[in-house]
Amino acid sequence: MKSHESETIERAAMEDLHDAADQDDIKEIGLMRLTVNSSLISVARNLPDSAIVVNRVLGLGLSAPASREEIKTIISTYSDNEVAQYFVQVHPDASPTEVSEWMRDEGLKPDRGWQKFSRDPVKVEDRQTNLTVREIGAEHGPAFGEIICSAFDLGDKAIPWLAKLPGRENWHIFMSFDGDNPAGVGALFVKNGFGWTDYGATSPEFRRRGSQGAVMAARLHLAIELGCQKIFCCTGVSVPGDPQHSYNNILKAGFKEDYVRENSVPS
């Protein structure tokens, strides 16, 4: 059995991200979520096909056994909303064992998995940078949204939505600055004694200046200060030919590799 706390806190962060949207965001993005059995289906029909950090399914077969009908409902939900690209993410403990076979039968194929990491609340080494790092509030929301939507290929329509996270309860957003210019960002979501780090990104013109390491260290310092029992994060699995800067930064920050979560996509 793998630890499920990582899935629980990530799912809570996704649900709260949906809760942050106002009616204008929901209309502009085509945002909706649906819970089917143990699956959380997150849909943003008006975002680009590259917006898989939003258009994805969490929890299939984890808190309750999956069924073929559940998989068909997932596929039809995205099809009905004209979402061509999405991830169905499956934890190693998902049941029954036939889940992956059923997804293949329904036309889904394996894609690059996501490596899940965890970290104990132990001392954090500060990372060197000539940038200034601090937690931000709503006044820097638009800059946060712009950096994230560019880095994660979410498109401009999602900027006002993501801009609502700085200053929101349970979210702690850190930003690095070159003078007054926003350079990089990273988010920490804290709930029920666990922390989830997400949305780490740096604008291209400020890369190789230590932003991501310093922003991660700041998030970890706060997570420990807030009493988190464990801190989690994830990134794409390491593959040959990919320098995997994010993967290496996560390991440098003291995280350990936990498990790989399978991703399936429409064939």
Side-chain angles (χ1 to χ4, degrees):
M1 289 285 290
K2 304 292 184 180
S3 171
H4 295 180
E5 287 91 351
S6 179
E7 302 297 308
T8 301
I9 186 68
E10 181 184 5
R11 180 172 180 147
M14 174 66 83
E15 291 172 337
D16 197 81
L17 178 63
H18 275 260
D19 289 342
D22 62 22
Q23 289 303 311
D24 289 339
D25 297 324
I26 293 170
K27 182 178 180 181
E28 182 71 11
I29 300 166
L31 192 65
M32 63 169 284
R33 66 180 172 192
L34 181 66
T35 301
V36 178
N37 198 15
S38 65
S39 294
L40 172 66
I41 308 173
S42 172
V43 179
R45 65 176 177 271
N46 296 335
L47 295 189
D49 288 346
S50 52
I52 50 84
V53 297
V54 179
N55 283 312
R56 57 189 176 108
V57 178
L58 289 154
L60 177 68
L62 194 54
S63 62
S67 66
R68 282 183 178 271
E69 192 59 37
E70 186 176 351
I71 294 169
K72 290 179 180 180
T73 299
I74 290 168
I75 294 170
S76 65
T77 297
Y78 286 110
S79 176
D80 292 346
N81 283 278
E82 300 182 339
V83 175
Q85 186 71 3
Y86 56 89
F87 275 176
V88 181
Q89 302 185 303
V90 182
H91 188 280
D93 289 339
S95 65
T97 55
E98 295 86 357
V99 168
S100 294
E101 178 184 341
W102 291 346
M103 289 196 292
R104 307 301 166 254
D105 291 344
E106 296 300 329
L108 300 175
K109 64 179 182 180
D111 200 78
R112 183 179 183 177
W114 284 8
Q115 177 71 52
K116 299 299 291 280
F117 302 84
S118 66
R119 191 187 192 283
D120 291 325
V122 296
K123 182 181 178 181
V124 179
E125 296 293 336
D126 289 325
R127 300 289 295 276
Q128 295 300 311
T129 180
N130 57 8
L131 302 169
T132 302
V133 178
R134 65 177 184 269
E135 186 173 357
I136 60 170
E139 71 278 7
H140 288 104
F144 170 76
E146 288 174 10
I147 293 173
I148 291 304
C149 290
S150 175
F152 289 88
D153 298 320
L154 296 178
D156 291 346
K157 288 183 178 180
I159 292 175
W161 176 36
L162 271 294
K164 293 178 173 63
L165 292 190
R168 183 173 173 80
E169 185 179 5
N170 297 328
W171 290 93
H172 302 274
I173 310 300
F174 286 84
M175 182 173 282
S176 62
F177 293 85
D178 180 5
D180 293 330
N181 299 313
V185 295
L188 169 68
F189 180 81
V190 176
K191 190 171 184 179
N192 297 329
F194 295 100
W196 172 253
T197 68
D198 208 344
Y199 301 122
T202 306
S203 293
E205 63 269 32
F206 298 108
R207 288 175 184 163
R208 299 184 179 277
R209 293 178 59 181
S211 176
Q212 274 309 294
V215 169
M216 176 62 86
R219 287 182 282 174
L220 293 176
H221 278 303
L222 181 59
I224 295 169
E225 181 182 321
L226 294 174
C228 288
Q229 307 166 40
K230 207 90 168 177
I231 305 135
F232 302 98
C233 66
C234 72
T235 193
V237 295
S238 182
V239 295
D242 187 335
Q244 272 293 31
H245 297 302
S246 294
Y247 200 111
N248 293 332
N249 281 332
I250 289 168
L251 293 177
K252 286 179 182 178
F255 286 87
K256 66 178 182 66
E257 297 158 318
D258 281 343
Y259 57 90
V260 174
R261 187 171 58 192
E262 174 186 332
N263 287 325
S264 293
V265 298
S267 58

